[in-house]
Amino acid sequence: MYVIRDVMHCKPGQVKTMVDKFRELSKSLKKMGFNTLRIMTDVSGERYWTVVSEQEVESMDAYAEAVRKSMSDKKIQKIMEGYHDLVEAGHRQIFHVE
C-alpha cells in the first residue's frame, strides 16, 4: 500500500478555496470508486497557507489508473479549473506503507 500526498503552498487568502476544490474532488473520486481524500491544513509548519491532500492506494499501478481516469473526467476538470492561480508552489510525496 502507498500513501500519496499532494502538498500545495497556497497564495495568501486562497486556502479555503483550495480546500473546497479538494473536497469536491474527493466526492467525485469516491463516486468513481477511489478512496476518499484526507484534506489537511497547516497549524504550524515550514510555510504558511499549506494544504495537503492525502490518499491511500493499493499499488502504483492503481494510482496511475486513478490519475488517468480522473484527469479525463470532465466534472473533475471543471472542479480543478484554475487551481494553479491559487498556489505558489507544491510537490507530491509518495510513501510505501511498511
Side-chain angles (χ1 to χ4, degrees):
M1 178 175 300
Y2 292 86
V3 174
I4 314 287
R5 287 186 184 145
D6 289 316
V7 180
M8 303 289 179
H9 302 294
C10 295
K11 294 177 181 174
Q14 299 303 317
V15 169
K16 183 181 182 322
T17 306
M18 192 76 229
V19 167
D20 291 344
K21 284 187 176 293
F22 276 140
R23 284 185 178 146
E24 288 301 311
L25 175 63
S26 184
K27 289 177 192 175
S28 291
L29 290 174
K30 188 171 183 172
K31 287 178 185 175
M32 295 173 78
F34 301 112
N35 290 338
T36 303
L37 300 178
R38 175 185 283 176
I39 304 160
M40 301 170 280
T41 57
D42 70 289
V43 174
S44 174
E46 198 172 307
R47 291 183 71 165
Y48 291 117
W49 308 300
T50 298
V51 179
V52 177
S53 168
E54 180 181 274
Q55 68 183 83
E56 292 182 1
V57 295
E58 288 299 318
S59 67
M60 291 307 297
D61 287 339
Y63 177 68
E65 174 65 16
V67 169
R68 187 190 59 71
K69 189 173 178 183
S70 64
M71 291 298 188
S72 64
D73 186 271
K74 296 291 184 197
K75 184 174 182 181
I76 289 178
Q77 290 173 7
K78 179 75 174 156
I79 291 167
M80 295 308 292
E81 186 175 72
Y83 88 91
H84 289 115
D85 297 331
L86 307 175
V87 298
E88 292 180 340
H91 63 276
R92 179 169 290 140
Q93 301 171 332
I94 302 175
F95 299 95
H96 182 255
V97 178
E98 298 293 339

